[in-house]
C-alpha cells in the first residue's frame, strides 16, 4: 500500500507541472523520468491535444487485450514521435466486425468443424451449414518482408470478401508476432485436411488458373457449382489465368468457394483496386488510399515480447536521445555485396536531401563550432561494410554543420537464412527500429524497407536502382509518391475490355512505382 500511495503521489506531482515541462518529458520519450507505470504514462497527456499518446491508435486497435502477453501492442506508441494517420470511422467499425467473424469462425467452433467436414468431402453435399463461415488460408513464404506484405494483402482481401483469415504457422509466425484478433487465434491449427498445402505451386491442379484452363470451373457456371476449395497462386511467376483473380467475373466465382488457399510473395492490394466490385468499399474503408498498408500493418503486426525486448533495449541505448533519427535499410542486389557505388549513392542522396550533413575537407584543420544537435543513423544490412564506412566517415572528419552524428547497426547476419528463428527475430526488430526513425532512405525493390515505412507512416526517399552496377544514378534518389509498397508482379489486363492494358492508368488510385517501372502503387489524388 505504501508503494502504491507513493506512486500516486508522484503522479499528482507530475500533473501539477507546467505544460511546457510536461511536454518536454513526454517528447523525450523516456517514461522512466516520470517514474510511473505504462498505463499511467499513457494517461499523462496534454489536454489541448498538442501531444497525445493514444494507445488504441484512434480506434484501430481493439481494447481489452492482456498487455503482459503482448507489451508492444500498447507500448509502441510511446516510442513514436508522430501519431500516424487516423483511421476512418468506417474502417474501425469494419475491423470490429472482422474480429467478431474471426471469433465466430475460429478453430474449435462448430462452424469451423462443419467447414472442415466439407473440405474433407464428408458433408454429404449440404453446404448450408458450412457456408456460415468461409476461409482464406495465407501461406507463410519467403523472407520476413515478403511474408508481412503477403499476410497484410490476404487480410485486406478477407475483410473485403467476408472471410476468416487463417495464417500458416510456418516460419515462426506465432513466435514473431502477437495474435491480432481478440479472443481467438489467427494461426491455422494442426490437422488441416489439405496436408500438402504448403507445397502448392503454379502446377497445382486445384489452382484457380489451372481449373479455369482445364474448364473444371467456369465463370458462367451456377453459383453452387464450385469446388470445396481453390488454390490462389499470385506468386511472382503467376500466369495470365492466375491473375484473372483481379477481374470481377472471376471474383464472383471465388466468392462462392468455401476455402481459398493463397500463396503470394507480393503486396497485391493495388490489384484489388482494379476490381470494380471492390472499389466502392475500398473508398469507404480508406478515405486516404495511400494509407492502406499503414493501417493494415499497424493493426496486424505487433512484435512478440521477445522481439519487443530487442527493440526497446536497442532504442533506449542508441536512439532515444538523438534529436533526429535517419533510417537506411541497405538491400544489395547483384554480385557485389560490398559496393563502393552503392555507398556513394547513399552518401550523395542523404547529403543532397540534407538528411545527413556534408563533411569538411580532410585538409581543413578547423572544426566548426558544435551545434549541440545530435543525429543518429540506423543502418540495417546483412553486411557490416556499409555501416563501417559511414561510421568511419563521421568519425574521421567533422560534419560541416557541427552536428554530432552517430551511426548504428544492430546486427549483420552476412546472408539471409530463411526460417531461422534468431535471424527472423533480429530482422523483425530491425524493421521496427527503422519505423521509429524520423526519415527513411530505402533501397529500390526492398520489401524490408516497405514494411518499415508503412509502420512509420512516412514517404521515403528511394535510391534508384542503377542500370549498370558500376555507375551511380543521377539523381541518386527521389521522394516516393506515397508510403504504400509496390506490387512487383501486377496484372497487365483490362478485365472490362478483355485485352492487355497498362493497369497503371485504369483507376486514379493506382499508378506505376518509381523504383520499379512496371510495378503498381496506391497513391492519394486529393
Amino acid at each position: 500500500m505504501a508503494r502504491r500511495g507513493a506512486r500516486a503521489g508522484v503522479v499528482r506531482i507530475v500533473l501539477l507541472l507546467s505544460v511546457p515541462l510536461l511536454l518536454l518529458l513526454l517528447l523525450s520519450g523516456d517514461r522512466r523520468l516520470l517514474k510511473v507505470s505504462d498505463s499511467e504514462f499513457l494517461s499523462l497527456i496534454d489536454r489541448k491535444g498538442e501531444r497525445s499518446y493514444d494507445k488504441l491508435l484512434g480506434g484501430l486497435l481493439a481494447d481489452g487485450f492482456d498487455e503482459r502477453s503482448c507489451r508492444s501492442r500498447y507500448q509502441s506508441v510511446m516510442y513514436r514521435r508522430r501519431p500516424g494517420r487516423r483511421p476512418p470511422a468506417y474502417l474501425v467499425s469494419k475491423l470490429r466486425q472482422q474480429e467478431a467473424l474471426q471469433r465466430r469462425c475460429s478453430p474449435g467452433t462448430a462452424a469451423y468443424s462443419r467447414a472442415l467436414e466439407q473440405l474433407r468431402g464428408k458433408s454429404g453435399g449440404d453446404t448450408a451449414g458450412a457456408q456460415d463461415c468461409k476461409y482464406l488460408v495465407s501461406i507463410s513464404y519467403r523472407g520476413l518482408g515478403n511474408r508481412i506484405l503477403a499476410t497484410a494483402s490476404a487480410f485486406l482481401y478477407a475483410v473485403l470478401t467476408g472471410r476468416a483469415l487463417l495464417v500458416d504457422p510456418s516460419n515462426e509466425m506465432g513466435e514473431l508476432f502477437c495474435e491480432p484478433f481478440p479472443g481467438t487465434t489467427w494461426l491455422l491449427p494442426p490437422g488441416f485436411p489439405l496436408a500438402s498445402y504448403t507445397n502448392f505451386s503454379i502446377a497445382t491442379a486445384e489452382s484457380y488458373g489451372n481449373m479455369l484452363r482445364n474448364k473444371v470451373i467456369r465463370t458462367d457456371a451456377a453459383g453452387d457449382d464450385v469446388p470445396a476449395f481453390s488454390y490462389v497462386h499470385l506468386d511472382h511467376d503467376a500466369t495470365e489465368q492466375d491473375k484473372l483473380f483481379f477481374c470481377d467475373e472471376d471474383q464472383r466465382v471465388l466468392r462462392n468457394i468455401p476455402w481459398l488457399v493463397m500463396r503470394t510473395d507480393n503486396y497485391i492490394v493495388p490489384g484489388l483496386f482494379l476490381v470494380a466490385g471492390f472499389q466502392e468499399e475500398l473508398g469507404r474503408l480508406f478515405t486516404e488510399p495511400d494509407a492502406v498498408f499503414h493501417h493494415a500493418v499497424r493493426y496486424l503486426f505487433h512484435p512478440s515480447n521477445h522481439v519487443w525486448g530487442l527493440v526497446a533495449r536497442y532504442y533506449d541505448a542508441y536512439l532515444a536521445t538523438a534529436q533526429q533519427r535517419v533510417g537506411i535499410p541497405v538491400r544489395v542486389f547483384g554480385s557485389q555485396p560490398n559496393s563502393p557505388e552503392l555507398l556513394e549513392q547513399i552518401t550523395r542522396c542523404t547529403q543532397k536531401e540534407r538528411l545527413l550533413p556534408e563533411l569538411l575537407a580532410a585538409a581543413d584543420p578547423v572544426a566548426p563550432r558544435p551545434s549541440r544537435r545530435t543525429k543518429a543513423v540506423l543502418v540495417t544490412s546483412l553486411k557490416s561494410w556499409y555501416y563501417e564506412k559511414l561510421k568511419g566517415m563521421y568519425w574521421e572528419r567533422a560534419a560541416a554543420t557541427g552536428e554530432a552524428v552517430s551511426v548504428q547497426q544492430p546486427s549483420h547476419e552476412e546472408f539471409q537464412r530463411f526460417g531461422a528463428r534468431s535471424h527472423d527475430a533480429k530482422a523483425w526488430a530491425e524493421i521496427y527500429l527503422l519505423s521509429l526513425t524520423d526519415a527513411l532512405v530505402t533501397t529500390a525493390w526492398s520489401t524490408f524497407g516497405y514494411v518499415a515505412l508503412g509502420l512509420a507512416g512516412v514517404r521515403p526517399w528511394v535510391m534508384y536502382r542503377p542500370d549498370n552496377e558500376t555507375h551511380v544514378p543521377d539523381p541518386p534518389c527521389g521522394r516516393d509518391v506515397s508510403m504504400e509498397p509496390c506490387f512487383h508482379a501486377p496484372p497487365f489486363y483490362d478485365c472490362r475490355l478483355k485485352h492487355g492494358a497498362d493497369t497503371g492508368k485504369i483507376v486514379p488510385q493506382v499508378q506505376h512505382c518509381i523504383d520499379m517501372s512496371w510495378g503498381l502503387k496506391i497513391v492519394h489524388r486529393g
Side-chain angles (χ1 to χ4, degrees):
M1 290 298 292
R3 290 183 64 185
R4 183 177 299 176
R7 173 175 288 176
V10 172
V11 173
R12 284 193 293 271
I13 291 171
V14 169
L15 290 173
L16 293 174
L17 293 172
S18 66
V19 169
L21 180 55
L22 178 57
L23 282 175
L24 178 63
L25 292 172
L26 292 172
L27 288 169
S28 74
D30 193 347
R31 62 194 180 282
R32 292 169 301 183
L33 293 174
L34 300 178
K35 302 295 184 184
V36 295
S37 69
D38 295 325
S39 59
E40 290 167 333
F41 181 84
L42 288 168
S43 71
L44 297 177
I45 62 174
D46 176 18
R47 294 183 181 277
K48 295 181 180 179
E50 295 178 19
R51 179 67 173 174
S52 167
Y53 287 98
D54 175 11
K55 71 175 185 176
L56 299 182
L57 307 182
L60 187 73
L61 304 182
D63 204 358
F65 280 89
D66 177 6
E67 297 189 26
R68 293 170 299 179
S69 67
C70 183
R71 298 187 183 280
S72 66
R73 181 183 302 279
Y74 301 132
Q75 290 182 7
S76 61
V77 68
M78 298 184 291
Y79 289 77
R80 297 196 182 280
R81 288 179 174 169
R82 60 177 60 83
R85 302 276 187 92
R86 192 166 187 86
Y90 184 72
L91 173 60
V92 171
S93 172
K94 196 75 172 181
L95 290 173
R96 300 296 87 83
Q97 294 176 33
Q98 183 68 26
E99 290 161 1
L101 173 68
Q102 294 286 152
R103 289 191 293 271
R104 188 173 71 250
C105 302
S106 66
T109 63
Y112 183 75
S113 298
R114 286 194 297 269
L116 286 185
E117 288 300 298
Q118 185 185 18
L119 190 56
R120 294 187 181 102
K122 297 179 181 179
S123 62
D126 179 11
T127 62
Q131 289 294 320
D132 290 346
C133 295
K134 288 180 282 193
Y135 296 86
L136 175 62
V137 177
S138 177
I139 297 174
S140 177
Y141 173 57
R142 285 191 175 266
L144 182 62
N146 297 88
R147 299 205 301 271
I148 291 175
L149 295 176
T151 306
S153 299
F155 172 69
L156 290 169
Y157 179 68
V159 170
L160 286 171
T161 56
R163 293 178 178 273
L165 174 68
L166 293 173
V167 175
D168 166 33
S170 303
N171 298 312
E172 290 78 41
M173 292 296 283
E175 297 174 24
L176 294 172
F177 310 108
C178 301
E179 294 279 1
F181 307 124
T184 186
T185 181
W186 69 338
L187 297 176
L188 185 69
F192 188 55
L194 305 178
S196 62
Y197 74 95
T198 56
N199 295 320
F200 285 174
S201 70
I202 195 171
T204 298
E206 293 85 359
S207 77
Y208 182 71
N210 286 333
M211 287 197 290
L212 275 180
R213 187 181 297 107
N214 298 327
K215 297 182 171 27
V216 175
I217 55 176
R218 294 165 44 191
T219 56
D220 59 353
D224 57 353
D225 186 20
V226 294
F229 88 94
S230 179
Y231 164 57
V232 178
H233 184 80
L234 295 175
D235 217 357
H236 60 280
D237 61 351
T239 66
E240 291 182 6
Q241 285 80 12
D242 292 317
K243 292 181 183 180
L244 292 175
F245 172 88
F246 298 105
C247 293
D248 270 293
E249 61 183 21
D250 297 271
Q251 280 300 321
R252 284 192 288 271
V253 176
L254 289 164
R255 180 170 43 200
N256 295 309
I257 299 176
W259 287 88
L260 296 180
V261 179
M262 179 184 289
R263 180 192 296 278
T264 184
D265 55 359
N266 270 273
Y267 178 67
I268 67 168
V269 179
L272 300 180
F273 276 78
L274 303 177
V275 181
F278 293 156
Q279 288 168 4
E280 182 179 354
E281 182 73 352
L282 284 168
R284 295 182 68 192
L285 288 168
F286 304 103
T287 52
E288 297 175 302
D290 61 335
V292 174
F293 184 65
H294 176 58
H295 292 316
V297 74
R298 291 191 306 157
Y299 174 79
L300 283 177
F301 298 102
H302 307 282
S304 64
N305 284 347
H306 169 64
V307 176
W308 182 242
L310 299 177
V311 173
R313 288 188 295 273
Y314 197 91
Y315 178 94
D316 287 341
Y318 299 106
L319 303 176
T321 59
Q323 292 170 305
Q324 186 183 27
R325 300 184 287 264
V326 178
I328 308 177
V330 181
R331 172 68 189 273
V332 179
F333 298 91
S335 58
Q336 292 182 306
N338 298 337
S339 167
E341 292 76 22
L342 179 54
L343 177 65
E344 183 181 350
Q345 186 177 3
I346 292 170
T347 55
R348 277 194 198 176
C349 172
T350 53
Q351 292 177 358
K352 173 178 177 290
E353 301 298 338
R354 298 185 178 180
L355 298 172
L356 294 183
E358 294 185 358
L359 299 168
L360 290 178
D364 191 340
V366 181
R369 185 172 182 175
S371 69
R372 298 187 181 277
R373 287 189 55 82
T374 58
K375 183 169 294 193
V377 182
L378 181 67
V379 177
T380 64
S381 176
L382 290 172
K383 306 292 183 180
S384 62
W385 188 81
Y386 298 93
Y387 153 72
E388 295 287 355
K389 291 295 183 181
L390 286 170
K391 180 181 178 181
M393 286 168 49
Y394 286 98
W395 181 33
E396 294 167 10
R397 293 164 61 185
T401 58
E403 293 174 277
V405 179
S406 67
V407 183
Q408 312 293 340
Q409 180 175 1
S411 71
H412 48 91
E413 298 284 286
E414 297 305 318
F415 58 90
Q416 190 161 359
R417 293 180 289 166
F418 294 110
R421 181 176 303 179
S422 63
H423 178 85
D424 282 346
K426 291 175 183 176
W428 180 212
E430 290 182 6
I431 288 174
Y432 217 91
L433 284 165
L434 285 169
S435 79
L436 301 177
T437 59
D438 305 305
L440 278 163
V441 180
T442 67
T443 312
W445 300 19
S446 171
T447 58
F448 200 92
Y450 291 161
V451 176
L453 64 94
L455 283 165
V458 299
R459 282 193 302 130
W461 283 265
V462 179
M463 291 185 290
Y464 301 118
R465 189 171 182 183
D467 295 326
N468 186 325
E469 291 182 2
T470 62
H471 291 85
V472 177
D474 186 20
C477 63
R479 194 75 184 270
D480 210 338
V481 293
S482 83
M483 58 186 174
E484 281 286 299
C486 182
F487 183 6
H488 288 177
F492 302 99
Y493 183 76
D494 188 313
C495 301
R496 184 176 60 86
L497 300 178
K498 297 189 182 301
H499 61 61
D502 182 349
T503 46
K505 297 180 178 179
I506 293 178
V507 296
Q509 302 93 335
V510 176
Q511 70 173 51
H512 291 295
C513 313
I514 69 169
D515 63 329
M516 181 177 281
S517 60
W518 62 88
L520 297 182
K521 178 184 285 283
I522 302 170
V523 297
H524 181 45
R525 301 187 188 277

